[in-house]
Amino acid sequence: MTVAGAEPTQDAAIRRNSGVSLWRQISDRIRRLETDGQLDPDGRLPPEFRLAEQFGVNRHTVRSAISHLVQEGVLRTEQGRGTFFRSRPRLAYPIGRRTRFSAGLEGQASTLQMVLVESATIRADERVAVGLNIEVAATVIWLRTIGLADGEPVSTAESWFPADRLPGIADAFRRTGSVTAALSLLGIDDYTRRATTLTATHASDDDLARLKLAPGAIVLVAVGVNVDPDGRPIQYSETRFSADRIELTIESA
Amino acid sequence: MTVAGAEPTQDAAIRRNSGVSLWRQISDRIRRLETDGQLDPDGRLPPEFRLAEQFGVNRHTVRSAISHLVQEGVLRTEQGRGTFFRSRPRLAYPIGRRTRFSAGLEGQASTLQMVLVESATIRADERVAVGLNIEVAATVIWLRTIGLADGEPVSTAESWFPADRLPGIADAFRRTGSVTAALSLLGIDDYTRRATTLTATHASDDDLARLKLAPGAIVLVAVGVNVDPDGRPIQYSETRFSADRIELTIESA
DNA sequence: TACTATTTGTACGTATGTATT
DNA sequence: TAATACATACGTACAAATAGT
């Protein structure tokens, strides 16, 4: 007679022709490894060939399972190194009338930083012109910035400013490292966010590079307009947040 | 001598060992099919085996390319039918102090509908208790609803209501098909949204089924609390929007 | 620097299952 | 029922990145 329950809970074997695909069963099993604590302290998964042995399937079947978990954001793979669990709590980024990077994330990370990657003087295309309420092809200053929390990139933004009103915005930003401070330097002491549109898509190649994401990652895209106290648009921006690292909060008080 | 340019722009052949993986080159090429108009009017892609022939690669390589485009939301595959381009404009769903499904999407779809899928009387877990400002394990009414625009599911929501105050909410909803109307029936003529938290993740299996999405799709998750005019919480909810079909707009006026 | 072992990534081939028409 | 087309799974081989010798 077999004594049931004599050993620690044993997972059922992977079953073929059960109506559930093998990669799916394996994927679920891997997911549980984390919570069950059967894992290296560094969150490293055994190599693919070993998992394949353990589960009694081909390496490709394991790869399929892993690939789905990567897309879900549960795992992260590094060629030549291994596959790792990822678990980081998200930072809460408030979006509202007064949306500001550093002030918004204050207290949630020990260092906050906004760096200017690139800037140029260009002509407004239609959506920028509409956003800033200027004419198409009017001159605008374009900035690309990256927001860092604890040195890790959490957002990347493109901003467009009307050149006639804020010709020195790029320099001012470079000196201060903040939109708020830069605008203040140029005589605009306050501004508010008029409207924000939010979408979510898979990260583009640019996103992957700038935000150091893995293929399949998700970005939250916030498009909005900031206006001065008189209601005149001074900044049109598109910010792309890593959905793994950021959640957006909307205070509608 | 060969006459260059005598025929319509010919794409360069797929190159091996070029530093760009084959599936990647093919993926880019497929993406361009749509804009180049070399496509059936129904947006249908040629079957995998034919693409494999055309590009001179194995069918699996084509599958890899297609699978990446599906994750990006460019394509949609249907087993047994084929692979299709997807292009639908997104509906704009306003989130703010007065967030209401039908009123928010009014005018963007010809029919708007909210259906109750399931309901139960249960006990509050911690996050629900915190949201509703009641005790853990207090009785709450739970509803699962699906929001349809033009008959297509665009959102799925779970809601929790305090049972002591709103015991008849499920019935009221069933009769009216709207949270606003149901609350009104129970004597609450107005309510506002206190706070909303927004995240984005890959669709779960439930999401796929309820929102009729393809694996790899993205959902926008909005968690929030509605309060009555006295500021007392009456509804805690988690709404999951198909990111392909909905964009969220935040009016911070 | 060069070499090697380890590990993930790409690509091919083949067979069979399952859903749609 | 049959044909078509996507889904899953196995096997094999080699490329590319990393880490250590």
Side-chain angles (χ1 to χ4, degrees):
Chain A
M1 179 186 164
T2 318
V3 182
E7 32 194 82
T9 322
Q10 188 83 32
D11 274 315
I14 301 291
R15 281 173 308 141
R16 286 162 195 271
N17 310 316
S18 69
V20 181
S21 60
L22 297 185
W23 69 257
R24 180 76 219 210
Q25 296 181 53
I26 291 167
S27 162
D28 291 345
R29 197 76 78 74
I30 291 176
R31 198 201 305 273
R32 259 178 299 161
L33 286 179
E34 192 179 26
T35 45
D36 293 0
Q38 311 171 22
L39 217 57
D40 283 3
D42 56 354
R44 185 208 182 88
L45 208 64
E48 294 169 351
F49 82 93
R50 184 176 307 284
L51 290 171
E53 271 176 9
Q54 278 179 30
F55 294 126
V57 300
N58 188 272
R59 187 182 144 224
H60 286 314
T61 308
V62 169
R63 277 180 65 71
S64 183
I66 288 176
S67 132
H68 281 79
L69 291 170
V70 167
Q71 283 160 40
E72 272 185 61
V74 176
L75 298 178
R76 159 182 52 89
T77 62
E78 292 181 35
Q79 185 170 159
R81 294 211 334 120
T83 302
F84 306 85
F85 277 85
R86 49 163 61 193
S87 61
R88 284 177 284 186
R90 284 192 261 243
L91 303 176
Y93 187 91
I95 285 200
R97 260 170 58 79
R98 329 196 124 262
T99 295
R100 279 122 175 89
F101 181 78
S102 293
L105 293 175
E106 188 106 275
Q108 300 184 65
S110 50
T111 73
L112 290 164
Q113 206 182 342
M114 188 96 147
V115 299
L116 179 59
V117 179
E118 211 181 340
S119 74
T121 303
I122 58 173
R123 307 210 160 263
D125 65 16
E126 191 177 336
R127 62 186 189 132
V128 170
V130 169
L132 291 178
N133 194 26
I134 57 179
E135 308 219 325
V136 173
T139 310
V140 292
I141 314 276
W142 168 81
L143 307 185
R144 173 180 293 290
T145 54
I146 291 183
L148 306 165
D150 294 325
E152 285 287 297
V154 294
S155 68
T156 168
E158 288 183 278
S159 296
W160 293 261
F161 300 86
D164 55 354
R165 178 139 183 230
L166 300 162
I169 186 76
D171 274 339
F173 188 99
R174 221 182 308 271
R175 281 212 298 281
T176 59
S178 138
V179 170
T180 309
L183 286 174
S184 171
L185 218 60
L186 298 177
I188 298 180
D189 289 320
D190 193 26
Y191 64 93
T192 55
R193 163 76 52 138
R194 197 169 56 190
T196 304
T197 302
L198 264 171
T199 54
T201 65
H202 286 96
S204 67
D205 286 352
D206 280 353
D207 294 331
L208 297 184
R210 296 205 183 88
L211 297 175
K212 291 193 198 158
L213 298 174
I218 297 176
V219 290
L220 277 161
V221 183
V223 175
V225 177
N226 281 325
V227 298
D228 70 11
D230 298 332
R232 282 182 303 177
I234 52 174
Q235 178 187 17
Y236 175 82
S237 68
E238 176 183 308
T239 309
R240 304 173 73 87
F241 299 92
S242 161
D244 280 344
R245 299 178 196 154
I246 289 279
E247 67 182 22
L248 303 176
T249 59
I250 301 160
E251 329 100 332
S252 37
Chain B
M1 179 188 164
T2 318
V3 182
E7 33 195 84
T9 321
Q10 188 81 34
D11 275 316
I14 302 292
R15 283 173 308 141
R16 284 157 196 273
N17 309 317
S18 68
V20 182
S21 62
L22 297 186
W23 67 260
R24 181 76 218 214
Q25 296 181 52
I26 291 167
S27 161
D28 291 344
R29 197 76 79 74
I30 291 176
R31 197 198 306 273
R32 261 178 298 160
L33 286 181
E34 191 179 25
T35 47
D36 293 1
Q38 312 170 18
L39 215 58
D40 283 2
D42 57 353
R44 185 208 181 87
L45 208 63
E48 295 170 348
F49 84 91
R50 184 178 307 285
L51 290 171
E53 270 177 11
Q54 275 179 30
F55 295 128
V57 301
N58 187 274
R59 191 182 137 227
H60 285 317
T61 308
V62 169
R63 276 179 66 72
S64 183
I66 288 176
S67 130
H68 280 79
L69 290 170
V70 167
Q71 283 159 42
E72 273 184 60
V74 176
L75 297 178
R76 158 181 55 89
T77 62
E78 293 181 31
Q79 188 171 153
R81 294 209 338 116
T83 302
F84 305 84
F85 278 85
R86 51 163 58 194
S87 59
R88 281 178 286 184
R90 283 191 260 245
L91 304 177
Y93 187 92
I95 285 201
R97 259 168 60 79
R98 328 195 126 262
T99 296
R100 277 123 176 90
F101 181 78
S102 293
L105 292 176
E106 188 106 276
Q108 300 183 65
S110 50
T111 73
L112 290 164
Q113 205 183 342
M114 190 96 146
V115 299
L116 179 60
V117 178
E118 211 180 341
S119 74
T121 302
I122 58 172
R123 307 212 159 261
D125 64 16
E126 192 178 336
R127 60 183 191 134
V128 170
V130 169
L132 291 178
N133 194 27
I134 57 179
E135 308 220 325
V136 173
T139 309
V140 292
I141 314 277
W142 167 84
L143 307 185
R144 173 180 294 289
T145 54
I146 292 184
L148 306 164
D150 293 325
E152 285 288 297
V154 296
S155 69
T156 168
E158 288 183 277
S159 296
W160 293 261
F161 301 84
D164 56 354
R165 180 139 181 230
L166 299 162
I169 187 74
D171 274 339
F173 188 98
R174 221 182 308 271
R175 279 214 298 281
T176 59
S178 139
V179 170
T180 308
L183 287 174
S184 172
L185 219 58
L186 299 177
I188 298 180
D189 288 320
D190 192 25
Y191 63 95
T192 56
R193 165 75 53 136
R194 197 169 58 191
T196 305
T197 302
L198 263 172
T199 54
T201 66
H202 286 95
S204 68
D205 285 353
D206 281 353
D207 294 331
L208 297 185
R210 295 203 183 90
L211 298 176
K212 292 194 198 157
L213 298 174
I218 299 176
V219 291
L220 277 160
V221 184
V223 176
V225 178
N226 281 326
V227 299
D228 70 9
D230 299 332
R232 283 183 301 176
I234 52 173
Q235 177 186 19
Y236 176 82
S237 68
E238 177 183 306
T239 310
R240 305 172 73 87
F241 297 93
S242 160
D244 280 344
R245 300 178 196 155
I246 288 278
E247 67 181 23
L248 303 176
T249 59
I250 301 159
E251 331 99 333
S252 37

